[in-house]
Amino acid sequence: MLRQTLVTIFLLLLFFLIISRLFYWQIIKGSQLAEAASEQYYYKLRIAPTRGEIRGSDASSLVINRGAYLVFAEPQKIGDKDNFSRQAAKILDLDEEIIKSRISAENIVWAPLKHKVDEETYEKLKADKIEGIGFEKESVRFYPEASMAAQLLGFVGNDEDGMDKGYFGIEGFYDRALKGKEGSLIQEKDARGLPIILGGSKRISAENGENLELYLDRTVQFILENSLKQGIEKYGAKEGLVAVIDPKTGGLLGSASFPSYDQREYGKFDKQLYTNPLIASTYEPGSTFKVLVMASALNEKVIEPKTIFNEVGPVRIGEYSIRTWNNQYHGEMSMTQVLEKSSNPGMVFAGQKLGRDKLYNYLKEFGLGEKTGIDIEGEEVSFLRPVNEWKEIDLATTSFGQGIAVTPIQMLTAVSVIANKGQLMAPQVVKKMMNQGKVIEKKPKKIAQVISPATAKVMTEMMILAVDNGEAKWAKPKNYRIAGKTGTAQIPVSGHYDEEKTIASFIGFAPADDPKFVMLVMLREPSSSPWGSETAAPLFFTISKELFAYYGISPQE
Amino acid sequence: MKYQLGFHKPKPQKVVNHSRMPTFLGVIVMMLLFLQVMVSNRLATVGTSIAKIEKDVQQLNEENIDLRQKIASNSSLLVIENKAKLLGFTTEVKPIYISREPSVAFDLH
C-alpha cells in the first residue's frame, strides 16, 4: 500500500514537473521562441522609399537620386584584420584605426564602414576581392546643375539614427514630404531562402517621397549666378545677392548669393554658408526703403507727387542733423524729385507728414517685422521696435531706410506690392507637389491690399522717373520702362556707422506697366565705389537686359 | 385463438436503399485532394521564379535611375553651354524688334 502511494506521488510530481516546464516554454518563453522560429522560416525586408526629386519650372531636374553603396564588413569572415583595415582605409579614404576598432568590437557580425560610396570606389573594392567586405545598394542625391542654387535647395545629411534627413533650404523645409514612408515585406521562405507562394506573406508598399516643382526658372538662375559672379569681381564686393520674384504670384524665379557652398560636399564648407542670406541675413535697406514710405504717404493722401518740399539744408532732429547723401541741396522740389535726387531731408518731410503711428502700421501691412513664411528652412526675422518706443529721430531715420533692419525677401515682397496693384502676395518657392500621378498645386496667396491700385500706379510712375532721371540713368537699357530705386546704406559697426563700408543695392521691377519680375541686387562693401548707383544699379540693368531677351520683352518706348 | 394451418403472418420485408451519394462525394474529395497535391507541387517551385522576377525588377529600377541621371547630366545648362561654345554660339544678345504696326507697303487692303 505504501509503495503504491509513493509511486503515485512520484508520478504526480513528474507530471507536475512536465506541465510546469511546458508552461515555461509555451507561455513564458512562447513569444520569444516564435520570434526566433520566424527568423528561420520568414525573411523580412525593409523596402526603402525613393526620396522625391526637385524640379525647376520647366520640369528640368535640379535634384534627383542616383545609385550608391553602403560598404560594410563582416568581421567573422575577416582573417587578417590589419590587412583588411589597411586595404579598406586606402580605397575608402578612411582612418585605418577607426576601421580596425569597428571590426574588432566584441560580438559584432556586421559593421558599416561607409555610406554613399560611388560606383568607381565600389568597382575598386570589388576588384580587390577583400575577404569580409560586403555591399548594399542605397541611393544618394545627385545635382545635374552642380552647385547651382545650393543655398536655396539645401542638402541631405544624416540624422542621429543614420537615416537621410534634409537640412536647410527646400530639402530641410520639405523633408517629410520628400522622405516618403518606408515599406516592409515579410515572406515565408523555404530551406533555400526562396519565397513560398502558398506560405504566409505580408507586404506594406513603400510610399515614395513627393516630387516638387518650383517656381524657380533654371535659365533665370543661371543668368543670375553668372552675372552676380561677374559683378562681385568687377565691383570688388565681399558678398553679393540677387533675387527675382514674380509679383503676381509671389513665386521665387531665382536667387543667387555668393559666397556659397557646394551641396555635394557640404562637409568641407563653413556651416555659416549653409544659411540662405535671402531669408536669414538682415541689413539696413537705405534709400531703397524710401519707395515704401513714399507709397504709404501717398496712399494716406498726406502728400501728392507734386507736393513741394524746400530743401535748403540739413534737417535738425534734436541733436541730430539729417543731410543729403552728397551734401547738395536743391531748393524747392516735388516728391517725385525727392525720389529722383534720393533726398533724405525730403523723405523726413514725407515721414513726418505721415506720422509715426501710420508709418508703423503701413510697415506692418507691408509685411515687415515678421516672417514672410516663405517655404525655405532657416528664415530669420528682424522685429520692428514697438511704436511707443520710437523717438522723433527714429521716425526720421526710418523714413530714409536707416535704423531699421529687413531681410532681402521682406524687401522684395514689400516692393512687389507696388508692382502688383497694391496687393501683398506671400512669397513661395514650391509651385506643385506630385506623387504617383496626384498633383497638389500651391496656389498663390494674397495676404492684403496694402495700398490702392491708383497709389501703386502713381508710385510706379515716380519710380520710373527716379530711374530715368536719377544717378543711375546712364546704365539703364534704352526704351524700356523700368521702375526702381538705388540704395546706399552705411553698415552699423559697434553702435555707430562705418564711414567707408556700405551695402549698395538696387530694387526695381520691369516692364513697369505689366511687371514680369521684381529684382533686388545687393553688394556688400563694393570697393570700386560705395554707391548703389555705380555698382548695384548697373548690375541690375545688365541682368534685366538678359531677362528681357529671355522673356521676349520688347522695348515699350 | 384460431390459426390457419400452414400459414404464418408474413414478416415485413426490409427495403435496402443503395444510395450512390457517399461514393460520389468520396470521388470528389479524392479528386480535390489530387488537385491540391498537383497545384502545391507546381507552386512549390514558383518561389524561384518570383525571386528571379523580383531581382529583374530591382535591376531595371536601378538601370532606370542610372539612365535618369545620365539624361539629367547631359541636359544640364553647364553641358549645354559648353557644347554651344564649341559650336560657335556666343552670349552676345542683339535682339531685333519689329514694330507692331505694319508699314504701308504691307497694307494690301
Side-chain angles (χ1 to χ4, degrees):
Chain A
M1 196 64 191
L2 179 66
R3 242 184 281 169
Q4 278 176 343
T5 311
L6 284 172
V7 168
T8 309
I9 292 169
F10 173 73
L11 287 173
L12 280 170
L13 275 171
L14 203 62
F15 179 71
F16 179 72
L17 197 69
I18 293 168
I19 293 292
S20 57
R21 204 67 190 146
L22 279 171
F23 180 84
Y24 174 75
W25 284 116
Q26 288 193 338
I27 308 298
I28 295 170
K29 286 283 187 181
S31 51
Q32 208 176 320
L33 289 173
E35 178 78 32
S38 78
E39 296 284 326
Q40 286 182 341
Y41 55 81
Y42 278 106
Y43 76 73
K44 293 166 192 173
L45 195 66
R46 181 185 142 258
I47 305 173
T50 307
R51 193 171 175 91
E53 295 181 357
I54 303 175
R55 299 170 190 155
S57 59
D58 57 352
S60 59
S61 299
L62 297 173
V63 187
I64 58 173
N65 302 298
R66 72 166 167 80
Y69 296 89
L70 159 65
V71 179
F72 61 87
E74 291 174 286
Q76 290 173 359
K77 292 182 184 172
I78 300 171
D80 182 351
K81 288 194 164 75
D82 288 329
N83 188 42
F84 177 94
S85 306
R86 194 170 37 250
Q87 277 187 289
K90 189 178 165 192
I91 299 173
L92 291 171
D93 191 26
L94 291 172
D95 189 72
E96 199 178 312
E97 290 306 313
I98 292 175
I99 295 178
K100 208 168 164 189
S101 67
R102 280 190 200 167
I103 60 175
S104 304
E106 269 187 44
N107 301 323
I108 285 283
V109 295
W110 185 92
L113 296 179
K114 193 170 182 181
H115 282 274
K116 319 283 187 205
V117 169
D118 59 28
E119 189 75 32
E120 199 186 323
T121 311
Y122 161 74
E123 293 294 339
K124 277 187 199 160
L125 287 166
K126 236 176 106 172
D128 280 3
K129 291 191 173 86
I130 305 171
E131 217 175 271
I133 210 160
F135 307 96
E136 201 176 289
K137 265 276 190 184
E138 56 181 21
S139 74
V140 69
R141 286 312 227 180
F142 177 69
Y143 305 90
E145 304 293 343
S147 60
M148 179 192 272
Q151 287 167 328
L152 182 67
L153 296 171
F155 60 87
V156 174
N158 295 118
D159 62 14
E160 309 83 49
D161 301 320
M163 307 299 288
D164 281 351
K165 183 173 168 18
Y167 292 93
F168 299 95
I170 295 165
E171 294 273 21
F173 193 93
Y174 287 98
D175 183 50
R176 230 167 136 182
L178 287 166
K179 197 183 280 203
K181 265 194 206 153
E182 207 174 82
S184 64
L185 171 65
I186 301 173
Q187 173 80 52
E188 203 169 346
K189 62 180 180 183
D190 61 21
R192 285 186 295 162
L194 297 169
I196 299 173
I197 190 96
L198 292 174
S201 74
K202 188 178 172 190
R203 187 185 190 99
I204 300 172
S205 299
E207 281 178 38
N208 290 334
E210 301 195 47
N211 296 325
L212 307 180
E213 184 180 300
L214 312 184
Y215 280 100
L216 185 132
D217 187 314
R218 186 175 62 147
T219 305
V220 170
Q221 183 67 23
F222 190 78
I223 291 169
L224 296 187
E225 291 198 359
N226 280 354
S227 302
L228 181 61
K229 256 189 222 152
Q230 288 166 15
I232 288 174
E233 205 181 301
K234 184 175 177 181
Y235 302 115
K238 281 199 173 159
E239 294 170 13
L241 177 144
V242 182
V244 179
I245 68 172
D246 178 350
K248 293 178 182 122
T249 61
L252 187 72
L253 303 175
S255 167
S257 53
F258 292 106
S260 182
Y261 71 103
D262 188 338
Q263 68 271 50
R264 297 168 294 180
E265 296 179 314
Y266 62 88
K268 294 182 181 173
F269 291 83
D270 185 352
K271 288 188 173 83
Q272 290 199 359
L273 293 174
Y274 298 165
T275 52
N276 191 338
L278 174 70
I279 57 165
S281 77
T282 57
Y283 73 109
E284 291 197 6
S287 297
T288 54
F289 199 74
K290 289 171 181 170
V291 301
L292 302 180
V293 177
M294 191 67 81
S296 307
L298 285 170
N299 203 53
E300 279 299 304
K301 297 181 172 41
V302 296
I303 54 163
E304 286 175 6
K306 291 185 176 167
T307 301
I308 298 296
F309 168 69
N310 196 5
E311 189 186 64
V312 292
V315 169
R316 282 208 73 84
I317 309 283
E319 56 181 302
Y320 303 100
S321 279
I322 309 294
R323 301 174 192 279
T324 58
W325 63 273
N326 55 0
N327 239 348
Q328 288 174 16
Y329 301 90
H330 303 92
E332 285 192 348
M333 44 197 314
S334 65
M335 291 296 106
T336 305
Q337 286 168 318
V338 162
L339 265 191
E340 286 173 17
K341 305 283 181 212
S342 202
S343 163
N344 294 339
M347 285 310 304
V348 171
F349 168 79
Q352 286 173 337
K353 280 280 185 186
L354 183 58
R356 182 191 71 170
D357 291 341
K358 281 188 180 161
L359 175 58
Y360 184 87
N361 288 338
Y362 270 102
L363 296 184
K364 295 286 275 183
E365 286 276 298
F366 273 112
L368 303 179
E370 53 193 64
K371 290 186 184 180
T372 62
I374 190 169
D375 46 347
I376 312 173
E377 190 177 87
E379 186 177 13
E380 294 292 336
V381 67
S382 177
F383 295 104
L384 286 177
R385 261 185 308 128
V387 66
N388 53 17
E389 289 178 20
W390 284 36
K391 299 191 182 86
E392 205 185 339
I393 187 63
D394 298 312
L395 171 63
T397 53
T398 303
S399 301
F400 57 87
Q402 297 263 199
I404 183 168
V406 296
T407 58
I409 190 64
Q410 282 179 321
M411 202 57 210
L412 259 176
T413 311
V415 172
S416 294
V417 167
I418 301 168
N420 190 32
K421 298 176 182 164
Q423 297 174 99
L424 176 68
M425 304 301 289
Q428 284 190 143
V429 179
V430 170
K431 199 193 317 187
K432 286 181 199 167
M433 297 170 72
M434 299 158 293
N435 195 353
Q436 290 172 340
K438 207 170 66 170
V439 177
I440 300 170
E441 279 203 45
K442 291 188 74 185
K443 298 247 186 272
K445 188 177 163 196
K446 177 183 164 182
I447 296 177
Q449 184 76 38
V450 180
I451 55 176
S452 69
T455 305
K457 205 168 157 70
V458 167
M459 196 61 226
T460 300
E461 291 300 326
M462 289 171 75
M463 287 171 73
I464 292 170
L465 288 168
V467 169
D468 289 347
N469 300 329
E471 293 294 318
K473 63 185 177 207
W474 57 274
K476 178 193 159 270
K478 287 187 175 56
N479 303 327
Y480 280 94
R481 280 167 58 83
I482 300 173
K485 184 72 188 76
T486 55
T488 305
Q490 291 172 294
I491 299 176
V493 177
S494 308
H496 67 275
Y497 286 111
D498 193 292
E499 288 292 323
E500 288 165 21
K501 292 178 184 168
T502 63
I503 291 179
S505 59
F506 189 96
I507 193 160
F509 50 90
D513 301 306
D514 182 20
K516 182 76 181 165
F517 60 85
V518 182
M519 175 163 46
L520 169 67
V521 173
M522 274 172 58
L523 295 170
R524 182 178 280 267
E525 297 178 43
S527 55
S528 62
S529 163
W531 306 110
S533 57
E534 291 172 4
T535 53
L539 182 54
F540 176 100
F541 295 131
T542 302
I543 298 172
S544 295
K545 274 185 225 167
E546 293 214 45
L547 294 181
F548 291 151
Y550 174 62
Y551 285 126
I553 299 170
S554 48
Q556 296 92 49
E557 290 162 353
Chain B
M1 197 185 286
K2 285 184 179 175
Y3 295 94
Q4 282 186 335
L5 279 172
F7 292 98
H8 298 280
K9 193 174 180 183
K11 284 180 188 172
Q13 282 190 337
K14 276 185 191 171
V15 178
V16 179
N17 201 359
H18 292 282
S19 172
R20 298 234 157 99
M21 191 55 78
T23 314
F24 180 70
L25 284 174
V27 167
I28 298 286
V29 166
M30 289 308 296
M31 278 174 65
L32 286 172
L33 269 170
F34 179 72
L35 198 64
Q36 155 85 20
V37 168
M38 288 295 292
V39 168
S40 299
N41 190 39
R42 286 289 292 273
L43 289 178
T45 55
V46 166
T48 321
S49 309
I50 292 171
K52 190 183 175 305
I53 290 167
E54 282 181 347
K55 197 176 167 188
D56 289 343
V57 165
Q58 195 183 342
Q59 203 172 335
L60 285 168
N61 280 335
E62 284 166 16
E63 274 176 33
N64 195 19
I65 289 173
D66 285 341
L67 286 168
R68 280 184 66 77
Q69 183 213 316
K70 283 186 179 126
I71 291 169
S73 289
N74 287 327
S75 51
S76 75
L77 287 178
L78 278 167
V79 167
I80 293 171
E81 189 189 32
N82 288 335
K83 285 194 175 150
K85 278 180 184 164
L86 287 171
L87 291 168
F89 286 92
T90 64
T91 53
E92 279 288 312
V93 177
K94 284 190 177 134
I96 297 166
Y97 298 103
I98 300 169
S99 163
R100 284 179 186 226
E101 295 292 326
S103 61
V104 171
F106 284 105
D107 188 357
L108 302 174
H109 298 282

